[in-house]
Amino acid sequence: MSYETIEHDVLIIGAGGAGLRAAIEASAAGVSVGVVCKSLLGKAHTVMAEGGIAASLANVDERDGWRVHFADTMRGGAYLNNWRMAELHAREAPERVHELESWGALFDRTADGRILQRNFGGHAYPRLAHVGDRTGLEMIRTLQDHGIHRGIDVHMEVSVVRLLKDGGRITGAVAYERERGRFLVFRAGAVVLATGGTGRAYLITSNSWECTGDGHTLAYDAGAELTDMEFVQFHPTGMVWPPSVRGILVTEGVRGEGGVLKNSEGRRFMFDDIPPLYTDQTADNPEEGWRYTQGDREARRPPELLTRDHVARCIVREVREGRGSPHGGVFLDIAWIGEKLPQAEAHIKRKLPSMYHQFRQLANIDITRQPMEVGPTTHYSMGGIRVHAETQMSGVPGLFAAGECAGGLHGANRLGGNSLSDLLVFGKRAGEHASAFARENPAAAIDESAVREATGTMLAPFDEVSGAATDVGPYRLQGELQEVMQGGVGIVRSAESIQAALDEIGALRERAARIRVPGNREYNPGWHTALDLHNLLTVAEAIARAALERTESRGAHTRADHPDKDAAWGDANLVVKKAPDGDMIVSRSPIPDIPEGLRRIIEEMG
Amino acid sequence: MATATFRIWRGDEAGEFRDYDAEIHEGMVVLDAVRRIQADQAQDLGVRWNCKAGKCGSCSAEVNGTPRLMCMTRLNELPIDRPITVEPMKSFPLVRDLVTDVSWNYEVKRRIAPFRPRPPDAADGTWRMNQSDVDRVMEFRKCIECFLCQDVCHVLRDHRLHDRFIGPRFLVHVAALEMHPLDADDRREELRKAQGVGYCNITKCCTGVCPEEIQITDNAIIPLKERVADVAYDPLSKLVQLVRGRPRAKE
Ligand SMILES: Cc1cc2nc3c(=O)[nH]c(=O)nc-3n(C[C@H](O)[C@H](O)[C@H](O)COP(=O)(O)OP(=O)(O)OC[C@H]3O[C@@H](n4cnc5c(N)ncnc54)[C@H](O)[C@@H]3O)c2cc1C
Ligand code: SF4
Ligand code: SF4
Ligand code: FES
């Protein structure tokens, strides 16, 4: 099979926030850098991020600082986080945000001209730097525009399907480009995976088409470990109507700006169930909650701003008990602030312009006058490639990971805004350490037989199969998997539902191997979808196996058959790895003791 | 359940329109129908999309002859008793089906001088800015790079002056840099010479198709033309002053 070979010192797979930040850092270190991405540059999932980026700049409330941010992140993650990553993240985020500003990003301002910050769930103080509700666009455009002037080669609409190794160490990757379907082999000293999340394994999701767990699967197949896969974040507020927009995100910024959740009886049900860990910091009446959202520092946060896992469960309860909205969600109301603010309509349009636009355009709803209907949507993968906290290197020498496809930072549940800061902090670190690794370890030889094997597998969907009936096609099969995961390994799971899902995943895997697609290799989304199936099935199985193993409820993982936290599970992560015989194995990995200094911070701030 | 016919361009330049029938439901957008057709009838139908929420600018196409985002075009805005035509953008070379080669746009962007900030205002290396100054540029930074404005601009679409005119999207980009509260570069010479701002004769077609409702002509291009007129005589600037109103602030 013919292919073109391209060489870089550092190959970065993914052009979202993490990949671009890594690329900028690596190029600053003077090595040659290539970035590949499945879509056009600037279209990666990061572009959709809305509410803001978490960093303890302390511009709005000077009580904030990295220690509080660290403690909030650990508590939000139910203490399963990699504490060293949480520490680095909290310490370095402010510098990364300022740096972004020096590259041209514009954030909303305080009265004295500094970066404005807003409230978000689980953050003790207003901490999210933002630009209205299009922070992700601002961030990706800034990185993109800054990056293109630094001599980074960008290979757009190219998908990596296999990593190559020489002995233990990474040597490159096999890919195809969409336009003509040609194969490419990248030879590199180090590879950074920055491929984003896995949300497309579920039916109702806020994620873009690209979030098929490619990096997770590439790393797993190359022998790296995955961690925390059972923790899938269901964002409490996605659109539920009309059906074709189901799952599209409604930013937490709506609640940060004073939006409230109500059931069909008009009751603010979030006041009914405040977890003990948070009672001290949560308002016990609507008036206090409102004052908090308007910056009153003596007030405590409204219960709508509790962590995402908790709010999502409360919404599911209301719907299940028959108090939902007409289309199976609950009501999210920002229009009510008209009672409080004279210029409410203009205020809402200025603070939440893309939400206003989105509802007006897609649901015919004017959010300055009417409530929105919302329900949980699959949003974020806390689980990912297990990496070293400082360097972001996985267990495979030369293979790095950053951003949503890496695991560890967020533990059992991610706080809003902590992803965009994760991308910058650890994207930078990955770029820095990958370039150092590539300098010390020049590119090694490519394993031709592995390339042949990979391209052979990729072309299989075009093979003629005599007589055999072809399956329903790649899109339908993907849809079936999404239903299996939504039903069996969704917001609330049990041993029974997970086991059933695992059985189905096994059957789908067999069918996926027989998928045939029409047409040729040129810009053929049917073929591309068929190739993505292997990744989706792999992450689906990893999520399900880890979810079956963790016999407790904690953070984003809720087991109907084990409804409570179990102390015996409080000090271990789950690790998924490919056994030499190809089987997927799950094992417990004890969390190392937290140093005294960090423990004290948690006690004082937590 | 209603059915509608979608007349979709298939193939390369030598391709043809093909009709597909699809069931339609309340609240559906054109992209939903295209994806349905892809799943059931035309698995290899080439189309770009990412977010399905009007945020990434990937799904640009011409629907019933108008440049639009497929994910933000609701079927109930269109007459469904006639076939709905969906075809690729015209200003760029066709790859296949609904996919065009927009790489020219990325080359143009690379040629534009990057952001160059003034020295920090504060000892800690940070800057102070007024919200009102930020707001003015915010409008331009909302651009999702869908290139619909590039598609509709006759300087590119009909006159094919791709080598002399950067197009409305990048005039918006330059305006965002020019009016950035921190940017210290003088971009007027570049605008006049390499970027061809003079070719724009403010027909406002670009403003009409922008899904982000950016006032491309009034708020970006006209002020740029004025700045250029300050350094060099620009035959259009007189005309500009006759037809324009004051650049409106958004809201
Ligand atoms: C609607 C929405 C709103 C959000 N709002 C916020 C927010 O306000 N604050 C916050 O902190 N977080 C938010 N998030 C989460 C955050 O946006 C994501 O977690 C983050 O953007 C992920 O960035 P990334 O760089 O890891 O990956 P992505 O941005 O997903 O980029 C992945 C890249 O990898 C490429 N890629 C994937 N597979 C391959 C392959 N096989 N070959 C080649 N390239 C490949 C893709 O093309 C893409 O370029 C939000 C998410 C959503 C969906
Ligand atoms: S106003 Fe100028 S840029 Fe816009 S379409 Fe007309 S000629 Fe093109
Ligand atoms: S200015 Fe408007 S139409 Fe042009 S690319 Fe940007 S968002 Fe699209
Ligand atoms: S799919 Fe992103 S704008 Fe239409």
Side-chain angles (χ1 to χ4, degrees), chain A residues 3-13 160 162-175 184-193 218 222 393-394 396-400 437-438 441-451:
Chain A
Y3 58 84
E4 186 190 338
T5 306
I6 298 168
E7 292 198 22
H8 293 292
D9 294 321
V10 176
L11 175 69
I12 291 166
I13 306 176
V160 172
R162 185 77 62 94
L163 295 177
L164 295 169
K165 294 206 303 185
D166 177 20
R169 189 201 138 185
I170 214 76
T171 57
V174 185
L184 306 175
V185 170
F186 290 94
R187 205 160 84 95
V191 172
V192 179
L193 293 168
L218 290 166
M393 190 157 90
S394 71
V396 176
L399 182 63
F400 297 76
F437 185 95
N441 301 274
I446 292 293
D447 178 351
E448 299 288 340
S449 66
V451 175

Side-chain angles (χ1 to χ4, degrees), chain A residues 41 43 50 104 108-109 113 138 145 149 157 208-209 244 358 361-362 475-476 522-523 525-526, chain B residues 27 32 40 43 45 48-50 52 55-56 74 96 106 109-110 112 129 131 141 144-145 180:
Chain A
L41 183 59
K43 310 298 182 192
E50 293 162 353
D108 283 334
R109 314 310 292 185
E138 187 68 18
D145 292 353
H149 292 285
E157 299 201 308
S208 85
W209 73 273
S244 64
Q358 178 174 314
Q361 198 99 351
L362 294 174
Y475 306 99
R476 288 297 183 90
E522 295 185 10
Y523 220 104
Chain B
D32 293 320
D40 299 338
Q43 293 185 15
L45 169 59
R48 285 195 183 107
W49 66 278
N50 273 43
K52 226 176 121 350
K55 297 203 168 91
C56 71
R74 280 168 61 120
R96 207 172 73 83
Y106 291 92
K109 173 77 93 51
R110 202 192 287 262
I112 296 170
M129 286 177 246
Q131 183 68 34
R141 296 193 59 97
I144 56 175
E145 300 199 332
H180 194 297

Side-chain angles (χ1 to χ4, degrees), chain B residues 35-104:
Chain B
R35 289 182 57 216
R36 190 93 291 233
I37 291 163
Q38 196 185 41
D40 299 338
Q41 307 176 49
Q43 293 185 15
D44 59 344
L45 169 59
V47 55
R48 285 195 183 107
W49 66 278
N50 273 43
C51 68
K52 226 176 121 350
K55 297 203 168 91
C56 71
S58 302
C59 65
S60 309
E62 297 186 6
V63 179
N64 284 350
T66 308
R68 306 197 64 164
L69 295 177
M70 286 185 274
C71 71
M72 297 302 272
T73 307
R74 280 168 61 120
L75 291 176
N76 65 4
E77 302 165 14
L78 304 170
I80 59 156
D81 47 338
R82 280 177 278 147
I84 296 162
T85 55
V86 188
E87 56 192 311
M89 291 191 285
K90 296 290 173 357
S91 281
F92 311 111
L94 182 57
V95 173
R96 207 172 73 83
D97 301 342
L98 300 175
V99 180
T100 53
D101 175 2
V102 292
S103 55
W104 170 75

Side-chain angles (χ1 to χ4, degrees), chain A residues 302-314:
Chain A
E304 276 86 0
L305 289 179
L306 286 162
T307 56
R308 290 176 173 180
D309 52 338
H310 180 74
V311 180
R313 272 191 303 273
C314 290

Side-chain angles (χ1 to χ4, degrees), chain A residues 39-45 47-50 98 101-116 130-134 137-138 141-142 144-145 147-149 151-154 156-157 179-180 200 206-210 241-245 248-249 346 349-350 353-355 357-358 360-364 471-476 478 516-520 522-527, chain B residues 12 25-29 32 35-36 38-58 60 68-69 71-74 76-77 94-97 99-103 106 108-117 124-135 137-147 169 173 176-177 179-182 211-213 251:
Chain A
S39 291
L40 296 171
L41 183 59
K43 310 298 182 192
H45 183 67
V47 81
M48 297 158 70
E50 293 162 353
H98 283 311
E101 184 157 272
S102 78
W103 294 343
L106 279 170
F107 294 99
D108 283 334
R109 314 310 292 185
T110 61
D112 66 349
R114 293 178 301 162
I115 295 174
L116 182 62
H130 62 279
V131 203
D133 52 7
R134 52 163 196 83
L137 174 65
E138 187 68 18
R141 203 63 84 231
T142 302
Q144 170 189 347
D145 292 353
I148 56 171
H149 292 285
I152 296 162
D153 284 325
V154 183
M156 293 188 223
E157 299 201 308
E179 189 167 320
R180 296 279 165 252
R200 284 268 146 197
S206 65
N207 285 197
S208 85
W209 73 273
E210 299 186 299
W241 193 91
S244 64
V245 299
I248 293 181
L249 198 76
K349 285 185 190 166
R350 186 160 53 80
S354 70
M355 284 303 108
H357 193 228
Q358 178 174 314
R360 194 191 54 181
Q361 198 99 351
L362 294 174
N364 249 335
D471 209 318
V472 288
Y475 306 99
R476 288 297 183 90
Q478 193 189 69
R516 291 296 174 271
V517 295
N520 58 34
E522 295 185 10
Y523 220 104
N524 184 342
W527 180 41
Chain B
D12 54 18
H25 309 262
E26 194 179 0
M28 243 168 111
V29 294
D32 293 320
R35 289 182 57 216
R36 190 93 291 233
Q38 196 185 41
D40 299 338
Q41 307 176 49
Q43 293 185 15
D44 59 344
L45 169 59
V47 55
R48 285 195 183 107
W49 66 278
N50 273 43
C51 68
K52 226 176 121 350
K55 297 203 168 91
C56 71
S58 302
S60 309
R68 306 197 64 164
L69 295 177
C71 71
M72 297 302 272
T73 307
R74 280 168 61 120
N76 65 4
E77 302 165 14
L94 182 57
V95 173
R96 207 172 73 83
D97 301 342
V99 180
T100 53
D101 175 2
V102 292
S103 55
Y106 291 92
V108 171
K109 173 77 93 51
R110 202 192 287 262
R111 289 203 305 266
I112 296 170
F115 170 71
R116 192 160 61 82
D124 64 358
T126 62
W127 288 272
R128 300 289 175 269
M129 286 177 246
N130 286 327
Q131 183 68 34
S132 56
D133 294 335
V134 171
D135 278 341
V137 190
M138 226 53 121
E139 177 187 2
F140 308 140
R141 296 193 59 97
K142 280 193 315 193
C143 169
I144 56 175
E145 300 199 332
C146 63
F147 307 133
R169 154 61 190 137
H173 178 63
L177 289 165
M179 300 178 205
H180 194 297
L182 303 186
E212 286 293 311
E213 296 173 4
E251 281 168 13

Side-chain angles (χ1 to χ4, degrees), chain A residues 132-344:
Chain A
D133 52 7
R134 52 163 196 83
T135 314
L137 174 65
E138 187 68 18
M139 186 161 137
I140 202 163
R141 203 63 84 231
T142 302
L143 294 171
Q144 170 189 347
D145 292 353
H146 186 72
I148 56 171
H149 292 285
R150 308 189 64 99
I152 296 162
D153 284 325
V154 183
H155 309 275
M156 293 188 223
E157 299 201 308
V158 168
S159 298
V160 172
V161 286
R162 185 77 62 94
L163 295 177
L164 295 169
K165 294 206 303 185
D166 177 20
R169 189 201 138 185
I170 214 76
T171 57
V174 185
Y176 66 90
E177 46 101 65
R178 267 165 207 276
E179 189 167 320
R180 296 279 165 252
R182 285 180 293 233
F183 296 128
L184 306 175
V185 170
F186 290 94
R187 205 160 84 95
V191 172
V192 179
L193 293 168
T195 55
T198 63
R200 284 268 146 197
Y202 288 82
L203 193 62
I204 301 171
T205 178
S206 65
N207 285 197
S208 85
W209 73 273
E210 299 186 299
C211 302
T212 46
D214 292 13
H216 294 72
T217 307
L218 290 166
Y220 168 83
D221 284 340
E225 292 175 337
L226 306 179
T227 182
D228 300 335
M229 291 303 287
E230 67 277 31
F231 298 115
V232 176
Q233 180 166 76
F234 297 92
H235 194 290
T237 61
M239 292 177 82
V240 296
W241 193 91
S244 64
V245 299
R246 193 146 188 213
I248 293 181
L249 198 76
V250 179
T251 175
E252 194 166 313
V254 175
R255 285 171 282 145
E257 299 293 344
V260 299
L261 289 166
K262 288 185 180 163
N263 64 19
S264 60
E265 295 161 3
R267 184 174 172 77
R268 252 180 100 175
F269 56 87
M270 287 306 302
F271 277 111
D272 300 345
D273 181 6
I274 295 165
L277 200 57
Y278 286 93
T279 32
D280 289 350
Q281 298 135 345
T282 309
D284 52 18
N285 65 82
E287 188 53 36
E288 183 178 4
W290 165 251
R291 284 193 281 113
Y292 177 90
T293 63
Q294 299 312 297
D296 180 341
R297 304 170 36 159
E298 303 314 315
R300 294 170 299 175
R301 76 181 82 151
E304 276 86 0
L305 289 179
L306 286 162
T307 56
R308 290 176 173 180
D309 52 338
H310 180 74
V311 180
R313 272 191 303 273
C314 290
I315 293 175
V316 170
R317 182 195 62 214
E318 292 305 305
V319 175
R320 205 183 316 112
E321 293 175 8
R323 295 184 296 271
S325 67
H327 301 99
V330 294
F331 297 104
L332 171 60
D333 189 3
I334 182 83
W336 82 275
I337 69 172
E339 294 167 20
K340 298 282 186 185
L341 297 177
Q343 306 290 329

